[in-house]
Amino acid sequence: MTSADSMTGRQQAEQSLRDSEARHRAVVETAVDGIIIIDATGIVRAYNPACERMFGFRPEEVIGQNVRMLMPEPYRAEHDTYLQHYGDTGERRIIGIGREVTGLRNDGSTFPLELSVGEATEGGQPIFVGVLRDITERKEAEQVIRDSEARHRAVVETAVDGIIIIDAAGIVRAYNPACERMFGFRADEVVNRNVRMLMPVPYRAEHDTYLRHHRTTGEKKVIGIGREVAGQRKDGSTFALELSVGETTQGDETVFVGVLRDITDRKLAEAELAILAQHDSLTGLLNRGAFFERLADTIANAHRNNTMCAVLHLDLDHFKHVNDSFGHATGDSVLREFATRLRGCLRKTDIAARVGGDEFLVIAPNVNGADGAAAVARKIVDNLNTVATVDGNVVPVSTSIGIALFPVDDGDAQQLVANADAALYKAKREGRGSSCFYDSELDQTSRRRRALRGELEEALHETQFELYYQPVIDVTSGAVLAAEALARWHHPNLGPVSPTDFIPLAEETGLIHRLGPKLLNMGCRQFVDWRDDGLEVGAIAVNLSAAQFRSGQLLATIRKAIELTAIAPDRLELEITESLLLGDLDAVSAQLDELSDLGIRLAIDDFGTGYSSLSYLQRLPIDRLKIDRSFVQQAPHDPDTCAIIEAIVSMAHKLRLEVTAEGVETAAQFGFLQDIGVTQMQGYFLSRPVDEGEFRGWYAQRHPCPRTAPNNLRVLDGSRA
Ligand code: C2E
Ligand code: CA
Ligand code: CA
């Protein structure tokens, strides 16, 4: 190294020293923190502008003075001791980072300081560099935090919601009084223990997994607002909780704050709402929506377990009439009563629903084939077909039932119900209060019905309708008391269609209002023809549908028929059914009175099958009762039926009503009826319904009827009927 080099080296060293000094000075001068340098005896060597701002003393007031002047009295002795100790031992007890001490300003006020002290040497002597930070604001902030913590604590202590703090290991750190009330554990029983103790067993594993997941990944899967979970009380019972979890740090540790709300009441309310949403409010049975859910489940079960289930479709007979005649309040009572009895005769596992006004559906899961399903239906019919006293009214209650079976009929819930519905329709037609199974023939029936409905109109146009006639005979004299006109539809492709098929269709479509008058006119004209030709037929009996009666057009229709055909009014007899009388009895009786005033005769058809009430018979201008053939057919072998027939006959006689027995098919029936004083009879035993030509033939060939011997009657076999 040359001297020039060494000079240059020294100069460089000096320069770099100057540079670094300048840098240091700049740092010191502009530092936000106070920087103060003292020597080992406590004399201040340096004091920067930040210190000036902090203490209020100018540098010339401080430099060369003992640093104690910047300390409040209580700190000074301590400070001296420290320095003394350092001087004696070289131990740096005084040195440290971020100690909180107190400073003294030139105005005598004190302020909090954070002090970090480092040791250095200057000219071989130890010096101490203090870095000071005025922490007045931070202290104030901390005080605010401390205050608000107290406030928070108050909130936590008095909170309605449970507040619980756990650490990342699941250990409970805090547990407020609301939690105590909720869980029944005191805080001291829970704090420092694993929070799992507050969870029902099934939740614990999941909870552990979450915490583990959080620990390993830091992912906050556990955190959320308003999750519904379950809590477990001290007594082991569980309850519904809504849980919100937040994450925060305490010190440098992650903790979880859970806010818990007991939602037992809300759950109960929700459950109640769910019940309401699933049930029919009138009867408490399931509603339609809930029914289909259960049915889908039941079918799935039956499918899985290879078992059978049945759907029963129930319909209250004549319910409309109950409503009309007794009012809706009574109607509702009847429905409630019906539902109660229905529920009462079903098994616990059976499911009952009300799906419409008077329509009910029952699922019998796990039935033993068709016989099992029929047994359920029979039980229902036995328990329900009776007379109920509701709100002081005696109301007859009966039901018809259609049954469909899974897996015999179909796999789909909708289809199964549709099948039960088709079976119900058939059951209704076969007689009220009966049950019927769905079979695929029914499908054809309902398809045929739809087709027929469309063709009725055309049939009316093209006069495909005809009347057959069946005589009503006085068996004591052999006289033909009347001919009942029975409608026939000669369908171009199907052949004869039964009136039990097309009359309901005509009623549904409203076509009855055109078909009815037409048939009436045909009957009246025919009767007049017979009289003109010398046939001694007492009257023409025409069946009326209830729809015609309610149309308000009936009287006009009758008047017109009389006018058109010139029939003597007292030769026309109208057959009406009992169900008609269940409507507004006053309105019905007014109409009947008007008809009666015209001289028309009135008969109650199918007597005994409907709401047989004797009171109306006295109030109405009825001439004749026709005992339904279902009774006649059980005579004479069924003693109960015989007793009923006898009662009807004696009652009718007391009321001075004529009595006709319909559906007389056998000599035994004939004999029995004759024995109990029935003189007017109608039925295959005497004559089937026949067309006009055959009727004339029958009339011409018959012998005068002897008084006692029915086999002397000429019985015509109307096989086409
Ligand atoms: P309904 O008024 O009770 O007529 C008697 C029914 O019993 C007739 O059936 C008749 O053929 C049948 N019958 C008569 N004697 C016997 C017998 O000894 N044994 C059996 N098993 N049955 C017998 P039909 O002609 O099929 O008529 C059925 C129903 O259709 C009638 O029952 C009536 O309610 C209705 N109907 C028929 N024609 C008309 C009509 O022109 N207008 C209205 N509104 N309804 C009609
Ligand atoms: Ca009739
Ligand atoms: Ca009848």
Side-chain angles (χ1 to χ4, degrees):
M1 223 194 271
T2 64
S3 76
D5 284 343
S6 65
M7 278 304 287
T8 308
R10 194 170 66 232
Q11 282 168 348
Q12 276 180 343
E14 280 170 2
Q15 185 57 44
S16 77
L17 198 63
R18 273 195 300 274
D19 286 352
S20 113
E21 260 180 19
R23 259 201 315 277
H24 275 118
R25 193 178 309 278
V27 169
V28 169
E29 296 296 314
T30 61
V32 180
D33 290 336
I35 297 172
I36 197 165
I37 299 175
I38 61 170
D39 63 19
T41 63
I43 301 301
V44 177
R45 294 294 177 77
Y47 176 90
N48 74 343
C51 282
E52 277 188 74
R53 288 193 297 275
M54 247 179 253
F55 291 96
F57 290 107
R58 290 189 311 278
E60 58 270 25
E61 291 175 288
V62 177
I63 291 174
Q65 305 294 319
N66 195 300
V67 73
R68 297 162 91 244
M69 68 179 287
L70 302 176
M71 300 171 188
E73 190 60 46
Y75 283 83
R76 294 182 183 172
E78 194 189 4
H79 168 77
D80 289 347
T81 315
Y82 280 148
L83 277 188
Q84 190 67 51
H85 181 81
Y86 179 79
D88 295 349
T89 65
E91 245 180 69
R92 300 171 188 169
R93 272 184 20 196
I94 193 177
I95 293 174
I97 290 176
R99 289 204 323 142
E100 274 183 25
V101 296
T102 306
L104 176 67
R105 295 196 189 90
N106 69 344
D107 63 4
S109 63
T110 59
F111 64 101
L113 270 178
E114 190 182 80
L115 172 67
S116 300
V117 181
E119 189 201 6
T121 49
E122 204 179 63
Q125 295 296 313
I127 55 167
F128 299 100
V129 181
V131 178
L132 297 79
R133 181 168 292 176
D134 183 339
I135 54 171
T136 307
E137 282 179 12
R138 188 170 89 194
K139 284 307 231 186
E140 277 169 10
E142 278 176 6
Q143 188 55 46
V144 169
I145 289 168
R146 264 196 297 279
D147 289 351
S148 81
E149 255 177 20
R151 261 204 309 279
H152 274 124
R153 192 177 309 277
V155 168
V156 168
E157 294 298 314
T158 59
V160 181
D161 288 336
I163 296 173
I164 197 165
I165 299 178
I166 63 167
D167 64 19
I171 303 302
V172 176
R173 293 293 179 77
Y175 176 91
N176 76 342
C179 281
E180 292 188 321
R181 288 193 295 275
M182 244 179 249
F183 290 96
F185 285 110
R186 288 188 317 274
D188 62 283
E189 295 174 292
V190 177
V191 172
N192 293 326
R193 296 187 57 190
N194 196 301
V195 71
R196 296 163 94 244
M197 68 185 285
L198 304 176
M199 302 171 184
V201 175
Y203 282 81
R204 295 182 183 176
E206 192 193 6
H207 166 78
D208 289 346
T209 312
Y210 278 150
L211 278 186
R212 208 166 29 245
H213 182 82
H214 177 79
R215 273 201 303 275
T216 51
T217 66
E219 241 179 72
K220 299 168 183 175
K221 253 173 78 178
V222 70
I223 292 171
I225 288 178
R227 289 206 320 145
E228 277 184 20
V229 296
Q232 180 169 296
R233 299 194 188 90
K234 188 174 183 177
D235 64 10
S237 61
T238 60
F239 65 105
L241 271 179
E242 189 182 80
L243 172 68
S244 301
V245 181
E247 187 200 8
T248 183
T249 47
Q250 229 174 36
D252 50 2
E253 183 193 19
T254 298
V255 296
F256 299 101
V257 181
V259 178
L260 293 78
R261 181 166 293 179
D262 183 337
I263 54 170
T264 306
D265 288 347
R266 193 175 84 195
K267 286 306 233 188
L268 284 176
E270 280 173 5
E272 229 158 82
L273 280 178
I275 288 173
L276 283 181
Q278 290 207 341
H279 288 76
D280 164 46
S281 56
L282 180 66
T283 61
L285 299 180
L286 291 181
N287 60 21
R288 174 178 284 272
F291 174 86
F292 274 98
E293 276 173 29
R294 303 288 177 90
L295 182 56
D297 290 349
T298 308
I299 289 174
N301 268 331
H303 191 73
R304 238 192 332 275
N305 305 329
N306 227 349
T307 54
M308 290 178 98
C309 64
V311 171
L312 290 80
H313 193 167
L314 284 66
D315 183 302
L316 268 151
D317 300 326
H318 308 296
F319 181 70
K320 192 186 173 316
H321 299 304
V322 174
N323 251 348
D324 288 351
S325 43
F326 299 111
H328 286 282
T330 301
D332 285 354
S333 300
V334 169
L335 289 174
R336 267 195 296 269
E337 170 73 18
F338 182 84
T340 307
R341 286 198 207 173
L342 176 62
R343 200 52 268 181
C345 69
L346 292 176
R347 288 198 206 147
K348 274 219 157 48
T349 48
D350 295 343
I351 293 155
R354 174 167 169 249
V355 294
D358 60 341
E359 282 181 50
F360 296 81
L361 283 169
V362 170
I363 306 170
N366 217 344
V367 289
N368 192 3
D371 288 348
V376 177
R378 207 162 33 245
K379 202 161 148 197
I380 293 172
V381 168
D382 287 350
N383 279 278
L384 295 179
N385 290 8
T386 169
V387 175
T389 307
V390 179
D391 306 335
N393 294 306
V394 177
V395 184
V397 179
S398 70
T399 180
S400 305
I401 303 180
I403 308 167
L405 275 175
F406 175 86
V408 178
D409 294 330
D410 219 303
D412 163 51
Q414 297 284 347
Q415 189 56 48
L416 211 55
V417 169
N419 292 349
D421 188 39
L424 172 65
Y425 180 78
K426 192 174 170 214
K428 286 246 172 204
R429 282 216 337 235
E430 288 187 347
R432 312 259 172 189
S434 68
S435 59
C436 182
F437 274 95
Y438 171 81
D439 59 53
S440 47
E441 247 173 60
L442 283 178
D443 234 9
Q444 288 170 16
T445 310
S446 70
R447 260 202 300 281
R448 209 176 108 207
R449 265 169 59 79
R450 273 196 296 278
L452 281 181
R453 194 178 308 171
E455 289 166 339
L456 261 180
E457 173 105 46
E458 205 187 331
L460 193 61
H461 245 352
E462 302 193 349
T463 53
Q464 292 169 7
F465 294 102
E466 188 191 359
L467 285 175
Y468 273 36
Y469 301 95
Q470 187 179 35
V472 178
I473 292 176
D474 180 339
V475 296
T476 54
S477 68
V480 181
L481 294 168
E484 180 176 0
L486 294 159
R488 295 291 179 266
W489 178 6
H490 298 289
H491 191 280
N493 310 321
L494 298 171
V497 178
S498 162
T500 51
D501 284 334
F502 69 80
I503 293 291
L505 288 182
E507 287 172 344
E508 281 168 29
T509 54
L511 220 64
I512 191 72
H513 301 297
R514 284 159 61 197
L515 179 60
K518 191 162 180 155
L519 294 172
L520 175 71
N521 290 344
M522 281 165 65
C524 292
R525 183 166 295 126
Q526 190 56 67
F527 178 82
V528 172
D529 280 358
W530 288 334
R531 298 291 286 193
D532 289 351
D533 295 344
L535 272 71
E536 298 257 341
V537 177
I540 182 80
V542 176
N543 292 284
L544 285 187
S545 124
Q548 285 174 274
F549 220 92
R550 295 201 190 90
S551 71
Q553 297 298 308
L554 188 60
L555 203 67
T557 303
I558 306 284
R559 281 217 176 90
K560 200 157 174 202
I562 293 171
E563 209 178 290
L564 272 174
T565 62
I567 190 173
D570 63 351
R571 298 302 180 146
L572 174 59
E573 186 166 294
L574 300 177
E575 298 194 0
I576 57 176
T577 54
E578 289 169 285
S579 64
L580 183 69
L581 306 170
L582 279 163
D584 179 353
L585 196 57
D586 288 336
V588 172
S589 110
Q591 281 199 66
L592 292 179
D593 284 342
E594 280 176 314
L595 290 172
S596 178
D597 289 348
L598 280 180
I600 310 261
R601 289 168 49 86
L602 296 166
I604 302 285
D605 204 355
D606 305 341
F607 186 81
T609 56
Y611 287 80
S612 311
S613 155
L614 302 180
S615 60
Y616 68 69
L617 293 176
Q618 289 169 303
R619 288 178 55 185
L620 302 173
I622 304 294
D623 299 286
R624 191 211 304 247
L625 292 188
K626 298 185 76 173
I627 301 175
D628 190 67
R629 70 167 188 271
S630 61
F631 294 107
V632 173
Q633 258 146 25
Q634 292 187 58
H637 55 268
D638 180 48
D640 287 347
T641 308
C642 290
I644 292 173
I645 298 173
E646 286 190 58
I648 293 174
V649 170
S650 88
M651 179 268 303
H653 285 160
K654 277 188 198 120
L655 292 171
R656 289 182 224 289
L657 296 171
E658 295 173 38
V659 183
T660 300
E662 19 170 57
V664 183
E665 289 182 354
T666 67
Q669 290 162 357
F670 186 100
F672 163 75
L673 291 164
Q674 212 179 23
D675 286 349
I676 63 167
V678 176
T679 57
Q680 305 184 357
M681 298 193 210
Q682 181 183 6
Y684 294 173
F685 185 65
L686 301 161
S687 170
R688 287 185 171 251
V690 289
D691 69 16
E692 206 269 322
E694 284 175 294
F695 186 80
R696 282 180 186 261
W698 169 82
Y699 185 87
Q701 291 179 32
R702 82 198 169 91
H703 299 297
C705 187
R707 290 192 171 267
T708 51
N711 49 349
N712 287 355
L713 284 167
R714 170 93 174 79
V715 176
L716 189 97
D717 179 43
S719 54
R720 280 174 60 197

